[in-house]
Amino acid sequence: MKKIAVLTAAIGALLLSPGTALAQSAPVCTAATTMTAFSGYVACAGSFGGNLNGSASELTDLSTLFGGVWTYLGKSDDSAAGPFAGDPAGTTSGTITFDALITGKFVLGVKASNRYSFYEFDGGLAGIISLPYETIGVAVNVRGLPQDVSHIALYSGPASSVVPEPSTYALMGTGLLGLGALVRRRRSGN
């Protein structure tokens, strides 16, 4: 009888311990193809174990992963859905809509189960008002099925570096030549 009790306890401990076949697997962020195929997508990182709450360590991680200085703007499970039009909790995919147009660089932190992934986007000057999300690149169960969203966090990033069009340089050069000719003409006239 003791052997059965010890064997049952050992099997129970094995099934409940992390790292066993029943433990959650950690997918890579690029598995979220609807997000990585979206216009404005720049890069992603994850998935990582833990939570998203705007901590200083998250901002440091974003600087390390994507460069620049990042600012936490809020998350979808904040009161009134934070900077979002709604809270996607309990879903595995859909469209997240922002309260206002997001321009420049920003990161969405998607949290599902006990994992999260970061997705960097560049809204440019035109901005982005909504985009698709999915949790397949964040957390999946042992059958490979995506886990439900807990919340999505939003971070604003460094200003986009705007590269002038060649025609801008041509116009500026023409203007400088015109100014040079005007100065020369005035000097030769005196």
Side-chain angles (χ1 to χ4, degrees), residues 76-77 87-94 111-113 133 135 146-152:
S76 60
D77 65 350
D87 184 3
T91 62
T92 60
S93 64
K111 167 83 166 62
S113 186
Y133 70 88
T135 61
Q147 300 291 83
D148 289 348
V149 165
S150 167
H151 57 272
I152 296 178

Side-chain angles (χ1 to χ4, degrees):
M1 193 63 153
K2 270 188 173 180
K3 286 183 181 181
I4 293 176
V6 170
L7 184 60
T8 303
I11 291 172
L14 180 64
L15 289 176
L16 296 176
S17 66
T20 65
L22 294 181
Q24 207 172 50
S25 60
V28 294
C29 62
T30 53
T33 55
T34 60
M35 293 181 78
T36 60
F38 187 79
S39 175
Y41 166 80
V42 177
C44 69
S47 71
F48 307 104
N51 196 9
L52 293 175
N53 55 19
S55 68
S57 64
E58 282 173 37
L59 301 177
T60 301
D61 290 345
L62 289 172
S63 293
T64 302
L65 294 166
F66 304 118
V69 177
W70 295 85
T71 304
Y72 174 72
L73 299 177
K75 54 189 175 119
S76 60
D77 65 350
D78 288 344
S79 72
F84 303 99
D87 184 3
T91 62
T92 60
S93 64
T95 299
I96 189 77
T97 302
F98 306 109
D99 283 341
L101 198 65
I102 306 292
T103 57
K105 291 186 178 186
F106 65 94
V107 165
L108 283 185
V110 180
K111 167 83 166 62
S113 186
N114 62 350
R115 305 197 66 78
Y116 63 91
S117 291
F118 291 124
Y119 296 88
E120 181 186 13
F121 294 89
D122 191 343
L125 297 176
I128 296 174
I129 193 68
S130 65
L131 52 85
Y133 70 88
E134 61 185 329
T135 61
I136 191 79
V138 181
V140 294
N141 64 18
V142 294
R143 292 183 206 94
L145 300 174
Q147 300 291 83
D148 289 348
V149 165
S150 167
H151 57 272
I152 296 178
L154 179 63
Y155 309 84
S156 65
S160 300
S161 56
V162 178
V163 178
E165 294 286 330
S167 61
T168 304
Y169 287 122
L171 183 60
M172 184 176 71
T174 304
L176 289 174
L177 285 173
L179 281 174
L182 181 65
V183 168
R184 184 177 177 160
R185 186 173 183 189
R186 283 191 181 180
R187 283 188 184 164
S188 65
N190 288 334

